[in-house]
Amino acid sequence: MTGIARGAGRSGAESDISGVVAAFTHWSEDQYFYEPDGSQMDLTGLIFYFQFRRSADQTGADVTLSTTGNLSIVASTSGTSCILRISVPSGTFSAYTQDMIADLVAVDSTGNETLYGHGVVTFTNNPVTV
């Protein structure tokens, strides 16, 4: 996956999401958030939901990651809380070795929702096991 740059999305979301993740290993990744001017975006106070569904026709997610579980907000070396850290245990996506539609949504303290990312993430079978 790539970093999140506000205003870069083509789907109505702030940015496009794409990537390939091994479904049977621990998924650990940092996503940095930036404003359109290139400055770091402060994520303090936001609750993130990273949702995955098998089909565009679905109205509910098959898997939801959130900042109350497998996601956390972390400060960069400059001290700005601009990093969304993904930490998912191995096997979480083992039943989903396929392309999945991904939506990254944040909710602020007043309940406003922002769709920060939308796209397709491919979960693949691991080439080897440990």
Side-chain angles (χ1 to χ4, degrees), residues 1 17 21 27 49-55 58 60-65 86 88 93 96 100-103 119-123:
M1 293 189 13
I17 293 175
V21 176
W27 177 17
Y49 299 93
F50 203 179
Q51 299 182 318
F52 300 87
R53 52 197 160 107
R54 294 183 228 194
S55 164
Q58 286 179 242
D62 290 293
V63 178
T64 299
L65 310 175
I86 301 166
V88 181
F93 288 93
Y96 306 102
M100 295 192 76
I101 297 167
D103 293 295
V120 175
V121 174
T122 302
F123 292 93

Side-chain angles (χ1 to χ4, degrees), residues 56-71:
D57 298 335
Q58 286 179 242
T59 57
D62 290 293
V63 178
T64 299
L65 310 175
S66 74
T67 46
T68 59
N70 301 100
L71 305 175

Side-chain angles (χ1 to χ4, degrees), residues 4 14 31-33 41-51 64-74 81-86 103-108 114-117:
I4 307 295
E14 294 282 346
Q31 291 296 307
Y32 292 77
F33 281 68
M41 180 183 163
D42 188 0
L43 305 179
T44 303
L46 297 177
I47 298 172
F48 279 89
Y49 299 93
F50 203 179
Q51 299 182 318
T64 299
L65 310 175
S66 74
T67 46
T68 59
N70 301 100
L71 305 175
S72 57
I73 296 172
V74 180
S81 295
C82 67
I83 302 167
L84 182 65
R85 179 162 290 158
I86 301 166
D103 293 295
L104 181 62
V105 178
V107 180
D108 69 16
T114 301
L115 180 59
Y116 280 103

Side-chain angles (χ1 to χ4, degrees), residues 8 18 24 28 36 39 46 53 66 68 83-84 87 110 128-129:
S18 65
F24 294 90
S28 180
S39 64
L46 297 177
R53 52 197 160 107
S66 74
T68 59
I83 302 167
L84 182 65
S87 182
T110 64
V128 296
T129 59

